[in-house]
Each structure stands twice: as C-alpha cells, then as structure tokens.
Amino acid sequence: MRWDLVDGFSVIKKGKVSRASKEFSGEEDFFSEHYPGEPCVPEPFFIEMIAQTGGVLYGLGIRFKKEVILVKIEDAVFHGVVIPPCHLEIEARIEGDSEDGAWISGSVSSDGKVVASAKILLIAIESLNGLPAGKVVFNDGFLTHYDVWNVAKKSEGLTV
C-alpha cells in the first residue's frame, strides 16, 4: 500500500522550499481505529507529510535520478490534535543538501496554526527493490500525477 499524504503541490522552488496540501474528510478507513468515535489525524502522518513534501523538493534538486528515503527524525514537535474534516498545509525547506542526502525542516498547519514541525534527514540511494533508480518513489506516474515539472517551472520566479 502506498500512503500518499499529499494531495497536491502549490510551490516547488528548487533548493529552497516546497508547499503542499492535504485534505482529510474523516471517512478514510484508518479513522475508524484512530480513535473510534473521536478520530484525529495520527501524529506520524505529519512526519510523513513533511518527508513527502521535502522528498519531492530534494528529488527535484537531484533530477529524480535516485530514490529518496527518510532515515532520521532529529526533532519533532506536535502542537495539538487535528480532528477531521480538515485542510492541512505542509511546508518543507532544505537546511543543507548534497548528492547523498538533505536535512529538511518542515511544518504542517491547520487553519493558519502550526500543528506539527520536524527536522528530518532524507538520503538518496541508487535503487530500491533492485529496480532502476527513480522508478519506485519518483516514477513517471508519480511525477505526472503531482504535475511536478510544471509546478517547479511556475515556482522558479517566486521569492520565498
């Protein structure tokens, strides 16, 4: 199962920042167990949202030639419970990067208030599951679905 915890990107500014959004209706199957009768967005989802938003940002910088995976959470702070239905805004910034990996700082906001923040480490590896590089995480379907190249092109002139 693939957990796409980003619905779309509004900004992907190479080497700088990416912004994405996610909607939860409350009808998603995992809410029936987290917590029955009083659902809330699971805190690990916030980390994964930052990782996915930052992963696309970092991936763009290496032209999606390698796979990008989350390997470390250096710091994470959760500022409150988020109850569906909700609209979330995710921002990720590159703190430092190389061909081998990137430190990403990110936040998730709901109604203009930060509900989670984290600093994570992503690394780039040649391949996953023995498949050609860039074909598991950043396959053509993924890049097309999120319109990554067009969002990045539109973001080039932005001051962030």
Side-chain angles (χ1 to χ4, degrees):
M1 168 185 264
R2 182 180 177 103
W3 286 86
D4 291 325
L5 292 177
V6 170
D7 290 335
F9 289 84
S10 58
V11 172
I12 309 170
K13 178 122 172 119
K14 185 178 174 181
K16 302 282 185 200
V17 65
S18 58
R19 294 188 183 117
S21 61
K22 178 67 181 170
E23 298 271 342
F24 287 113
S25 67
E27 299 300 315
E28 294 82 1
D29 61 352
F30 56 84
F31 283 123
S32 67
E33 296 177 9
H34 193 85
Y35 294 96
E38 295 182 41
C40 66
V41 178
E43 291 173 340
F45 282 20
F46 299 130
I47 301 295
E48 184 62 21
M49 288 175 199
I50 293 168
Q52 290 181 13
T53 304
V56 169
L57 175 62
Y58 176 58
L60 178 67
I62 59 172
R63 303 216 31 94
F64 303 107
K65 298 291 185 200
K66 295 181 178 181
E67 301 292 353
V68 174
I69 58 173
L70 171 64
V71 293
K72 182 176 183 176
I73 302 167
E74 182 167 287
D75 186 38
V77 179
F78 306 103
H79 303 281
V81 174
V82 178
I83 299 168
C86 59
H87 173 82
L88 302 170
E89 293 290 329
I90 307 106
E91 181 174 288
R93 291 186 175 272
I94 291 184
E95 296 281 322
D97 67 333
S98 71
E99 289 185 26
D100 298 322
W103 283 103
I104 304 290
S105 63
S107 62
V108 179
S109 299
S110 177
D111 295 325
K113 296 179 183 175
V114 174
V115 295
S117 57
K119 183 174 181 181
I120 61 173
L121 177 61
L122 304 175
I123 62 166
I125 61 172
E126 289 300 325
S127 68
L128 289 169
N129 299 333
L131 296 172
K135 297 302 176 195
V136 175
V137 178
F138 300 126
N139 59 57
D140 292 337
F142 176 93
L143 297 174
T144 301
H145 174 77
Y146 289 108
D147 201 20
V148 169
W149 298 113
N150 286 326
V151 174
K153 182 77 173 158
K154 291 176 187 174
S155 300
E156 284 178 5
L158 295 177
T159 304
V160 291

